[in-house]
Structures are given as C-alpha cells and as structure tokens.
Amino acid sequence: MIGNVHKALWVCSSGAPILIAFSAAWVLGKSTFTLPAIFVFVAVWLIALALVSFHRMKSRLAVIAVRVKKVTPNDKIMIQYALSYVLPFTSIVWDKINPFMSLGISVVVLIVLLLAHSPTANPLLFFIGYHFYEIETENGIGSYTVMSRRAIRNKDELTNVIRITEYLLLDRSGGR
C-alpha cells in the first residue's frame, strides 16, 4: 500500500481539475491572469507529480491474487466528481469569496480524505484511460474499487491486483 505522503499527493492531485476550472472562471469573471496562472501552474505540477508517483507505485508494489465474487462498472464516481466538485467553481461570486475560509475548508476536506478508508478515485487516471469497477471478493469484503485500463466483463478476468490503499486496487491481471 502507498504511504501517507503518496496518499496526500493522490488526494491533492485530484483537485487539479478544480484549480483549472477555478482559473477559467476567474479569467472570464475578473479578466485578470496572475492568480489563474499560479493555479494552472500548481495544477500542472500536481498532475506531473501524481503521474510520476503512480507509475513508480505500479512497478514497486506487490501484485496479489484476488478471488472476485462480483464485479460492476463504477465510472459514475467520475460523474459525481465533476458535478459535485468542479462545476460549483465555475459560478462563484468572486467579490464575496473569503480565501481564508476556502483554504480552511480545503484543509478539512484533505484531512478527512486522508483519514478515510473510502477509496478516493483520481479523475486524472480516468482521463488517461482507466475505468473504475466495484468488486466483492470471496472473503466477504464488498466495497473494493478497482482501476483498470481494460474492460472487465467477467469476474473471472480479474485475478491479480495491486493494493493502492485499504480499499483501492489496481488491476494487474492483464500483465500490464
């Protein structure tokens, strides 16, 4: 499993699309470019770090066997991400925003996501071709999220995974 530093990077990088949406809305609403340029730079930096971390993680974590009882597609978490996180940033009333309150809320959300056992799906991986599946294993645990670049249509196709976090797995059955 990944450590807390990698998990923090994972969670922070999932905010990159929010920073980009915020920047676009700021440019359209305020017509200034300094703050949006900083946010886009931070977003690109987070994306690059997350992708490097992800590729290193794939090669360093152990592959484990898994016996799947049930598999269902779960890309809906990306739709939920877009609707609940990204879209609200496109309609902020800029003159009434409190940056300290926004930072405080962001820190609380980051801490909650770091301490939670629920998997945090990263939208960046969706954009590079990963799809998400919810699986139930034969040991009775039924809320694993599996990321895979291939379409999983049968529970028997998923045999090997890498455990990224407590309940987030990466498909390694196809040898990739």
Side-chain angles (χ1 to χ4, degrees):
M1 287 192 322
I2 60 174
N4 288 334
V5 172
H6 287 278
K7 190 172 181 183
L9 177 60
W10 181 274
V11 170
C12 289
S13 68
S14 66
I18 295 170
L19 291 175
I20 292 169
F22 180 85
S23 298
W26 183 278
V27 167
L28 293 173
K30 290 273 197 181
S31 298
T32 61
F33 296 95
T34 306
L35 188 62
I38 292 169
F39 283 164
V40 168
F41 174 77
V42 169
V44 169
W45 181 72
L46 285 171
I47 290 168
L49 282 176
L51 291 177
V52 167
S53 172
F54 181 72
H55 288 295
R56 291 184 71 184
M57 172 213 55
K58 282 188 347 184
S59 64
R60 292 189 176 180
L61 292 177
V63 176
I64 57 174
V66 66
R67 292 177 25 196
V68 177
K69 194 166 136 180
K70 179 181 173 185
V71 62
T72 51
N74 194 19
D75 280 342
K76 68 181 179 241
I77 56 177
M78 289 302 109
I79 296 167
Q80 293 168 345
Y81 172 86
L83 293 176
S84 63
Y85 292 113
V86 177
L87 287 181
F89 278 92
T90 60
S91 63
I92 289 177
V93 178
W94 301 110
D95 295 333
K96 297 185 183 204
I97 193 168
N98 182 336
F100 297 109
M101 183 65 75
S102 298
L103 180 63
I105 291 170
S106 298
V107 168
V108 169
V109 168
L110 176 65
I111 290 169
V112 167
L113 290 174
L114 286 174
L115 297 176
H117 284 295
S118 297
T120 304
N122 194 315
L124 303 175
L125 297 175
F126 182 75
F127 293 128
I128 62 172
Y130 282 90
H131 294 280
F132 300 88
Y133 298 88
E134 187 172 317
I135 66 166
E136 182 179 334
T137 60
E138 288 188 359
N139 67 0
I141 297 178
S143 290
Y144 284 116
T145 298
V146 176
M147 301 181 306
S148 181
R149 276 201 158 163
R150 61 193 181 94
I152 300 173
R153 293 182 176 87
N154 182 330
K155 68 178 181 65
D156 297 327
E157 294 176 8
L158 188 61
T159 57
N160 296 309
V161 296
I162 294 173
R163 182 184 298 264
I164 297 172
T165 64
E166 201 61 38
Y167 294 99
L168 182 64
L169 310 172
L170 175 67
D171 175 24
R172 295 300 286 206
S173 301
R176 294 190 239 178

